[in-house]
Amino acid sequence: MKKIVAIFLLFSAVLSGCYYDNYKELYPSASLANGCDTVSAVTYNKQVASVMNGYCVGCHSSSISNGNVALDSYSGTMSAAASGQLMGSLLAQSGNPQMPPNAPLDACSIREVQLWIQNNYAQ
Ligand code: HEC
């Protein structure tokens, strides 16, 4: 019986840990204050453009398009997303190099890009 109680307590501890992991999703205002919004419908103009401008456009624009990828416009970002290279590089998966090259983006920004793709590249 004691063992069952101990296991139950352990699971409660693990589950309450998840509660804090989801903090940003549970408290949208907190994620907005952080400049990251995965709660309202994700569009290019509301979220994705600022992620690209903040972390990618310095190396990926119409004038400096490393890897032939320009992320300073809706159409350029959409074609990188549609080819699978955008998520591939953000997650360093499927043979794509890690982007940005020095360190991955924060999880919330990556999630914004993922939700934008699921939202059919809403403008
Ligand atoms: C410091 C410069 C730099 C930054 C910042 C940067 N990139 Fe890149 N990126 C490169 C270079 C250089 C290449 C081409 C060489 C290579 O493939 O490693 C590249 C290639 C790519 C490619 C093509 C990958 C492939 O499979 O060939 C994608 C997609 C990409 N970057 C997306 C991004 C995104 C999204 C960001 C922002 C989150 C970003 N990059 C930020 C320098 C950068």
Side-chain angles (χ1 to χ4, degrees), residues 51-52 54-61 64-71 80 84-107 109-111 113:
V51 174
M52 296 302 130
Y55 302 103
C56 317
V57 164
C59 298
H60 295 284
S61 66
I64 322 157
S65 61
N66 280 304
N68 216 11
V69 173
L71 300 170
Q85 285 185 314
L86 187 61
M87 279 319 295
S89 65
L90 291 177
L91 300 172
Q93 278 176 358
S94 317
N96 295 283
Q98 166 71 60
M99 288 293 145
N102 49 351
L105 288 188
D106 62 286
S109 299
I110 295 177
R111 184 83 185 125
V113 176

Side-chain angles (χ1 to χ4, degrees), residues 17-40:
C18 295
Y19 173 82
Y20 288 107
D21 290 346
N22 289 328
Y23 179 78
K24 279 187 178 175
E25 284 171 21
L26 289 167
Y27 301 101
S29 56
S31 60
L32 284 170
N34 227 1
C36 190
D37 175 14
T38 54
V39 180
S40 59

Side-chain angles (χ1 to χ4, degrees), residues 62-87:
S62 27
S63 45
I64 322 157
S65 61
N66 280 304
N68 216 11
V69 173
L71 300 170
D72 58 345
S73 66
Y74 172 77
S75 61
T77 308
M78 194 180 93
S79 55
S83 72
Q85 285 185 314
L86 187 61
M87 279 319 295

